Amino acid sequence: QCLTGEEIFSLHGIPNDSHVSNSAFSTICPAVLQQLIFHPCDHQEDFVDTSKPHSLQVWGFGFLAVTIINLASLLGLILTPLLKKSYFPKVLTYFVGLAIGTLFSNAIFQLIPEAFGFDPKVDNYTEKAVAVFGGFYILFFVERILKVILKIYNQTGHNDYENGEQNNSQDKTTPPKPLSSSNGGTCYANSAVIENNGNLGFDSISVVSAQEEATQGSLCKCLKGRPLSKIGTVAWMVTLSDAVHNFIDGLAIGASFTLSLFQGLSTSIAILCEEFPHELGDFVILLNAGMSTRQALFFNFLSACSCYIGMAFGILVGNNFAPNIIFAIAGGMFLYISLADM
């Protein structure tokens, strides 16, 4: 064990500011000789240096994890036949729940405590993190119970009001069918919002006349789809925000792998569980904004590639500086994505 001079004196009950007598010297002499002969402090430094993963391991495992996560952006191609199935919203809901649990727990139990410099073996913060975790879900269950009680109360005395609500919601969630006008125009859905019941609610409809469709052949088209100028604005907002989000995910992965392979693996699994339903949701929105399947897959994958840039930046920053600020930012974003977006 590596001991300082003060620690040697303290272990033998000798005050640091006292005069060392012959008997006291003979008492501490074996401990001093042990430090001089075996050099335990040198071995401790070597152990700390070798505990961190090698640079090649960090880059290799980080690149592999980001590649696996980015493959989630291409899962829309496999699940395209299931989009029109009646059970697809229920399946997507289970993956959303998985994403919320993994992101929230990873932020509370790992990223945020790591940002404050806590060590789970020394600071014993796990019990307090469990209390924070439970505090959110206690209020969640209380809110659910109150909604059930209020729903029962409304059913007993406000049936007419509820019927009107249901009719309005059914009108909103029913996808409009493509219409053909007298001059041959075609209606396209601009944007879609996933409601609480899993149905798609269409906000607005844009009408493209027959003359405009004829001129589309001369406009710039991408991947055999609609012209980029005719695609809804919501598609570009989703693509841009997804690129920023994936960059932060890459930062968290890169910084985590610089500390330990286990922490990097834990963060990667949490991000993978979140990316699967997130990319599926983005894919559905891009399709309903007017993109073709190829366009939606291309732009979804293009925004996912920003994760590589974030990973490289996170590894470089994590190797040269303390990555605590990255963990703090990633933890805050994980909380927002899980509790607000997802």
Side-chain angles (χ1 to χ4, degrees), residues 231-246 282 285-286 291 295-296 298-304 306:
I231 296 175
T233 310
V234 64
W236 308 119
M237 295 299 297
V238 167
T239 303
L240 180 61
S241 62
D242 193 35
V244 176
H245 169 213
N246 289 325
D282 290 346
I285 293 175
L286 294 182
M291 285 189 179
Q295 287 176 328
F298 174 75
F299 287 106
N300 214 17
F301 181 76
L302 188 64
S303 64
S306 64

Side-chain angles (χ1 to χ4, degrees), residues 186 207-217 219 227 230:
T186 305
V207 179
V208 179
S209 64
Q211 294 179 354
E212 289 177 344
E213 284 190 338
T215 59
Q216 283 180 2
L219 297 176
K230 299 297 181 181

Side-chain angles (χ1 to χ4, degrees), residues 12-281:
H12 292 86
I14 303 175
N16 292 329
D17 55 352
S18 65
H19 178 73
V20 180
S21 60
N22 291 334
S23 60
F25 180 76
S26 62
T27 302
I28 65 174
C29 186
V32 175
L33 291 176
Q34 187 266 344
Q35 297 289 312
L36 294 175
I37 294 174
F38 294 102
H39 302 283
C41 295
D42 296 338
H43 293 302
Q44 186 183 36
E45 292 177 358
D46 295 338
F47 176 75
V48 172
D49 293 336
T50 57
S51 62
K52 284 193 173 184
H54 192 265
S55 178
L56 186 61
Q57 291 178 321
V58 173
W59 285 97
F61 283 103
F63 187 84
L64 178 62
V66 171
T67 301
I68 295 175
I69 291 172
N70 283 348
L71 291 178
S73 62
L74 301 178
L75 290 176
L77 182 62
I78 303 175
L79 298 178
T80 301
L82 302 178
L83 293 177
K84 297 181 180 180
K85 301 293 183 180
S86 59
Y87 56 82
F88 180 76
K90 295 182 180 179
V91 174
L92 187 61
T93 300
Y94 286 108
F95 285 108
V96 170
L98 177 64
I100 293 172
T102 52
L103 278 179
F104 187 34
S105 59
N106 187 252
I108 291 294
F109 291 112
Q110 186 171 358
L111 291 178
I112 294 179
E114 186 69 33
F116 285 104
F118 293 150
D119 186 354
K121 297 180 180 179
V122 177
D123 299 298
N124 295 322
Y125 69 83
T126 308
E127 294 83 2
K128 304 173 185 63
V130 170
V132 174
F133 196 89
F136 278 93
Y137 282 97
I138 288 174
L139 288 181
F140 172 77
F141 285 118
V142 169
E143 183 183 15
R144 295 286 108 180
I145 294 173
L146 288 177
K147 286 186 177 180
V148 170
I149 295 175
L150 292 176
K151 185 176 181 180
I152 295 175
Y153 172 75
N154 289 333
Q155 286 178 349
T156 56
H158 301 79
N159 290 327
D160 295 336
Y161 175 78
E162 281 195 355
N163 292 332
E165 287 280 339
Q166 291 177 357
N167 292 332
N168 292 333
S169 63
Q170 289 177 358
D171 293 339
K172 185 178 181 181
T173 57
T174 302
K177 298 180 180 179
L179 301 176
S180 297
S181 61
S182 58
N183 61 355
T186 305
C187 292
Y188 294 98
N190 266 343
S191 60
V193 180
I194 298 178
E195 304 291 342
N196 295 329
N197 56 6
N199 295 323
L200 293 176
F202 291 83
D203 291 338
S204 60
I205 301 297
S206 63
V207 179
V208 179
S209 64
Q211 294 179 354
E212 289 177 344
E213 284 190 338
T215 59
Q216 283 180 2
S218 60
L219 297 176
C220 177
K221 290 188 177 182
C222 178
L223 300 174
K224 298 181 180 180
R226 297 183 64 193
L228 301 183
S229 59
K230 299 297 181 181
I231 296 175
T233 310
V234 64
W236 308 119
M237 295 299 297
V238 167
T239 303
L240 180 61
S241 62
D242 193 35
V244 176
H245 169 213
N246 289 325
F247 178 80
I248 297 296
D249 289 344
L251 280 178
I253 292 174
S256 298
F257 273 112
T258 58
L259 290 184
S260 67
L261 297 179
F262 180 78
Q263 182 160 341
L265 179 63
S266 175
T267 303
S268 300
I269 292 176
I271 293 176
L272 177 63
C273 293
E274 177 268 334
E275 278 299 308
F276 185 78
H278 188 189
E279 295 296 341
L280 281 180

